[in-house]
Amino acid sequence: MKAVRTDAELECPGIDAGLLARGVDLVTLPDGICEQALAEAVADADLLLMCYTPVTARVIAAAKKLRGIVKYGVGIDAIDIPAAIARGIPVVNVPEYAEETVAEGAFAMMIALAKRLPEIGRAMQEEGWIWPAQRWLGRDIAGSVVGLVGVGKIGRSMARMAGQGFRAQVLGFDPNVDRETMARAGVEKVDDLHAMLAGCDFVSLHCVLNAQTRHLIGRAELARLKPSAVLVNVSRGALIDEAALVEAVLAGRLGGVALDVFSSEPLAREGHLMSPLFGRDDVILFPHLTFFTHEAMARLEEDTLARCFEIIEGRPVTIRSRDPRLLAQSRGVAFA
């Protein structure tokens, strides 16, 4: 039995050790491996584990023995799922391991910008002390308006932290979540995204990326935000028109931006669309690591191994996601 795990830079010692203990011949590949090299590596593989590396139709076609594709993470945008379904190869992700963790990360970045922690921290390091001048004034979360774009499990966790924890008013835009469900989570449902954005002090994105949500926050939406508003994105980079976002930040039309995800990763200080945002006190650039805690990684490794062992043993692989792309599968899967 041979398994290929891409994105070896994301260290997962528990996954690797678990597969090796089962006698699996494990090959790990670096982030950024080209399509041709990946196709050659999986030609005789039984199992493919991926996190960020695209798994294209060409890669799937080359994998003549492949019995399953395991995304050790949540997002499945990089996998050509129709190509896998056509071959009868089950695709599974691990959707539940970091819901609270990512919400905590989003809230931490939001409060860091509200309290101006990055710039005050830097000033302290450079000067040793600062006095309470007007330039250092922060803002309260309590009494503010927090808007959630996407009110799934992560969004509802964010709502609890902001509403119950900090007494903010929480609004939510999500066509797929009804008013009653939002109300139970302490969220006031809003049907007009532009209207919600105009009234928010903080906006946090928590929705999946698909054809309908790509560039959901574009130039027109950014223009609706208050000049003091803080925008947080821990979901998918392409939810935002990043060129328009950079333009708005450089023009001083936003109060702050915190990003953990980007359309093109990794970032670079020079030559990247987002490069102009480096070094700014009103911007937090985080390297797609809001999920990365001891507890979340332990859950990820445990669930990933469970899905791998189901495939190795010839059992149906358990699908816990409600993503329609995964629910469209009919061979080699069992829905939890």
Side-chain angles (χ1 to χ4, degrees), residues 198-245:
C200 290
D201 300 296
F202 304 91
V203 175
S204 192
L205 309 186
H206 300 283
C207 51
V208 299
L209 176 64
N210 55 38
Q212 289 71 45
T213 60
R214 183 174 296 274
H215 288 189
L216 182 65
I217 305 299
R219 186 166 277 102
E221 289 72 28
L222 292 168
R224 298 289 293 181
L225 290 168
K226 301 176 183 178
S228 59
V230 168
L231 177 64
V232 178
N233 186 15
V234 296
S235 295
R236 289 293 177 267
L239 294 172
I240 301 175
D241 180 341
E242 291 171 324
L245 177 64

